[in-house]
Amino acid sequence: MLELFSRHSNLRRSRFAASVMVVVTLIGSAFAADAPKIVQKDGRYALIVDGQPFLILGGQIHNSSAWPSELPQVWESMAALHANTMEAPVYWEQMEPQPGKFDFTNVDAIVTGARAHDLHVVFLWFGTWKNGNMHYVPAWIKADPQRYPRVIRPDGEPIDVLSPLGHNTLEADKSAFAALMHHLKQIDGDQHTVLMIQVENESGNIGSVRDNSETANREFAGSVPADLLAATHKQPGPWRQVFGGDADELFQTYHQAKYINEVASAGKAEMNIPFYMNVWVNYPPPLMPQLQQDMPGIDYPSGGAWQKYVGLWRVLAPSIDVLGPDMYSDDSGFYRCVFDIYNRPDNPLLIPEIGSGDSYAKALFYALGDGAIGFSPFGVDQNILADQPFKSTAYNFALIGSMDREIAALEFEGKLKTAVEEPGQASREIDFGDWQVSVAFGFPQPDGGRAPGTKDAHGAALVARLGPDEFLITGIDASINFHLPGKLPWSRSEIISAEQGVYENGVWKPMRLWNGDENDRGLCFYQKPQAVRVRLGKF
Ligand code: DGJ
């Protein structure tokens, strides 16, 4: 589970510019040799890698790309994306072609190649579940439904999903996953190339709300287990009586959560690094309002950790450290709401998959403003599928990637805020209390006129407090003006210096000072990935 990270008392007294460095150094010396872990402080989270907060700027490769034959183009694609981490599947069918005979060729090629390309890796365990189906299980499991039973529909038809009540299936998945983690411990226990593991993929049933096999029906007719009663604050009784119309879905959720928790625990016993589950969320159906109902098993995989059941999953599956929503809607109103649901005191915000097209790119800035520990567009290598290009996310990753460790530390300290453009809202205010920040999107910004906004409302700005009067800023098609509360920019306040530079190995390297036209109407970020450290004064 997540560890509490206690604040060092000296840090409170020091200026924040120094404090970020001190935090990083202290964490570094105490935990540098430790495996990657998630820590929590004051309700915020960090993924600590080699002793420092790490921000996953990831790229998930296509489903059939984690093969040695595909890796040359994969490495090229990762470089084009400016990612620092690759998310790659591990296929159960490839890894265990015969029961108990393991083949780690694909895994080894990915770890070795990632090291050579200066990348970290998140492995995705395509085990019992993949997108609410069972397509990645080995052929010997597919061929033996007696031993590895399927989910049965209410009409008696089996579907291509394995039942979480199948004891042999659970044992097989556990032993394969444990073998994977055992192997990773051997090849990566001291190098920390592998940061996290995704356990299963969008788990749940597509095609039936619950398993209706004889075994499952017998269980369903019995009493609700005590741990589920406690988690849901219900009185004892049989499933239908206790949960009414939600009983079938909750039955599936309970058995699936128990199953996945057991798989995860078996893996954790071999190698203890953060584990997460990616979730197929429930999208609002584009239908008539009277038809807008949640349909488990149709709208989303039944039994999964969708929006309504995040809290329940956190209780039932404690060996999973994070539940992360996969996001395939670029409606910012919707995804911001989903980010809010998964960003909880007991769950860090992680976006393990998101669309790679340009319309999704600004979601990175919302996620950073919410303290996300990672953000990974899906399908970023070359493929036979007609994917959308990922120009904007690559630009964002180039911008943020040059200072990813600093950004992760500032997020963890609660010092970072973002502003994002929306249609019809070409200006935004960011509130740092004694300093206010006016952000205006789109160029040109004529004197005396309003900022025009951008054609597709893609502007964004990131402002992080380094000290009482010092900020790190950057943006996309945005101008940034500081001012005192209730005053205009340059009224009783001024820029002492605005230094453009870059972070190199944690050290700020100044390149030039911005002044005159580059400052007087706001610090402008346009068409170039640049960052500026601003010192402000009051007079
Ligand atoms: C979500 C899944 O988790 C991915 O493996 C992939 O299938 C994507 N959907 C895109 O289709």
Side-chain angles (χ1 to χ4, degrees):
M1 280 299 286
L2 307 164
E3 277 183 39
L4 279 184
F5 184 77
S6 63
R7 184 188 280 266
H8 192 288
S9 58
N10 285 343
L11 301 184
R12 268 177 248 157
R13 293 196 290 274
S14 58
R15 292 181 60 206
F16 187 73
S19 82
V20 171
M21 294 311 297
V22 174
V23 167
V24 165
T25 313
L26 284 175
I27 300 172
S29 56
F31 297 121
D34 287 0
K37 61 167 73 176
I38 293 175
V39 296
Q40 193 215 42
K41 179 179 64 173
D42 302 337
R44 293 183 300 275
Y45 291 94
L47 169 64
I48 303 293
V49 179
D50 294 328
Q52 297 176 25
F54 186 94
L55 172 65
I56 293 178
L57 298 173
Q60 184 168 145
I61 58 175
H62 284 99
N63 288 166
S64 306
S65 296
W67 290 91
S69 65
E70 300 308 300
L71 292 182
Q73 64 85 8
V74 160
W75 305 129
E76 276 174 25
S77 303
M78 287 297 136
L81 180 62
H82 302 284
N84 61 23
T85 302
M86 170 162 103
E87 291 185 355
V90 178
Y91 314 120
W92 189 3
E93 61 179 346
Q94 178 277 327
M95 202 194 83
E96 195 181 4
Q98 292 167 37
K101 300 258 180 293
F102 296 107
D103 173 356
F104 295 109
T105 314
N106 289 20
V107 167
D108 291 346
I110 288 167
V111 171
T112 312
R115 287 180 186 148
H117 292 87
D118 203 16
L119 285 167
H120 285 278
V121 174
V122 170
F123 276 122
L124 322 173
W125 173 237
F126 282 13
T128 298
W129 287 278
K130 161 70 172 81
N131 296 20
N133 289 120
M134 53 174 280
H135 297 173
Y136 281 85
V137 303
W140 48 269
I141 290 201
K142 288 179 181 159
D144 194 350
Q146 292 308 317
R147 194 166 166 73
Y148 307 107
R150 310 289 174 101
V151 166
I152 307 292
R153 288 193 325 208
D155 63 0
E157 281 293 301
I159 58 173
D160 64 343
V161 187
L162 289 165
S163 170
L165 286 99
H167 178 72
N168 296 327
T169 322
L170 172 61
E171 289 308 311
D173 192 332
K174 265 166 71 175
S175 95
F177 186 62
L180 170 65
M181 296 313 297
H182 182 81
H183 182 72
L184 290 179
K185 174 85 177 180
Q186 285 180 329
I187 63 166
D188 195 47
D190 55 358
Q191 292 204 48
H192 312 156
T193 301
V194 181
L195 303 181
M196 298 181 89
I197 303 290
Q198 178 185 295
V199 186
E200 312 292 347
N201 190 89
E202 292 190 343
S203 56
N205 298 343
I206 288 292
S208 184
V209 180
R210 72 167 171 91
D211 183 10
N212 299 269
S213 63
E214 271 177 35
T215 315
N217 285 346
R218 225 178 8 255
E219 284 278 329
F220 190 75
S223 301
V224 174
D227 55 347
L228 183 57
L229 290 175
T232 52
H233 312 291
K234 296 281 188 190
Q235 295 307 310
W239 286 85
R240 181 69 68 210
Q241 181 189 310
V242 175
F243 294 119
D246 291 334
D248 300 271
E249 185 178 6
L250 275 167
F251 179 82
Q252 194 66 27
T253 304
Y254 178 78
H255 288 288
Q256 194 181 302
K258 292 290 195 185
Y259 182 110
I260 291 181
N261 192 56
E262 274 211 42
V263 172
S265 305
K268 275 258 158 101
E270 297 293 339
M271 187 186 189
N272 189 0
I273 60 175
F275 285 1
Y276 73 92
M277 275 173 44
N278 68 324
V279 180
W280 178 333
V281 298
N282 187 12
Y283 293 88
L287 296 171
M288 292 174 288
Q290 61 271 36
L291 293 181
Q292 292 190 3
Q293 297 174 36
D294 304 325
M295 303 281 271
I298 297 176
D299 289 341
Y300 57 90
S302 180
W306 67 284
Q307 295 94 312
K308 185 172 169 186
Y309 292 126
V310 180
L312 184 58
W313 264 93
R314 296 305 290 127
V315 175
L316 295 178
S319 291
I320 296 292
D321 301 289
V322 187
L323 302 172
D326 290 349
M327 187 43 62
Y328 289 94
S329 162
D330 61 2
D331 175 338
S332 60
F334 176 69
Y335 66 67
R336 291 183 69 192
C337 169
V338 172
F339 291 178
D340 273 355
I341 290 171
Y342 286 83
N343 189 9
R344 300 164 42 110
D346 61 357
N347 195 62
L349 182 62
L350 168 75
I351 322 298
E353 285 182 40
I354 188 161
S356 62
D358 289 348
S359 61
Y360 290 88
K362 71 181 183 185
L364 173 66
F365 288 89
Y366 278 124
L368 292 176
D370 289 346
I373 61 171
F375 182 95
S376 300
F378 173 82
V380 293
D381 62 310
Q382 300 153 27
N383 193 278
I384 45 174
L385 307 172
D387 293 321
Q388 296 177 315
F390 50 76
K391 226 168 101 226
S392 301
T393 294
Y395 184 96
N396 290 349
F397 280 11
L399 178 67
I400 303 297
S402 61
M403 46 189 175
D404 50 3
R405 290 286 192 165
E406 289 73 20
I407 298 286
L410 288 158
E411 281 187 282
F412 190 40
E413 286 296 307
K415 300 289 183 184
L416 185 147
K417 293 177 192 266
T418 58
V420 184
E421 184 184 0
E422 288 297 340
Q425 295 177 328
S427 59
R428 295 272 191 197
E429 284 291 302
I430 303 181
D431 181 5
F432 279 95
D434 54 338
W435 284 108
Q436 302 286 307
V437 191
S438 300
V439 182
F441 300 108
F443 292 99
Q445 295 187 357
D447 285 349
R450 285 172 196 274
T454 61
K455 264 205 317 281
D456 51 359
H458 67 246
L462 178 155
V463 181
R465 192 164 209 160
L466 302 175
D469 299 319
E470 188 172 3
F471 293 85
L472 170 69
I473 60 174
T474 188
I476 311 280
D477 286 337
S479 75
I480 297 177
N481 265 300
F482 289 85
H483 63 96
L484 296 173
K487 301 233 180 283
L488 291 169
W490 301 100
S491 165
R492 292 296 188 114
S493 72
E494 61 194 340
I495 293 176
I496 305 291
S497 68
E499 207 173 65
Q500 184 197 329
V502 287
Y503 281 100
E504 280 176 13
N505 300 322
V507 178
W508 176 254
K509 302 270 181 196
M511 289 156 63
R512 64 166 167 162
L513 292 176
W514 288 11
N515 207 338
D517 290 345
E518 279 67 49
N519 283 8
D520 295 349
R521 297 166 182 82
L523 297 137
C524 296
F525 295 89
Y526 180 56
Q527 290 189 338
K528 282 190 187 153
Q530 296 175 328
V532 168
R533 277 172 74 148
V534 198
R535 281 201 304 125
L536 302 168
K538 298 170 189 164
F539 60 88

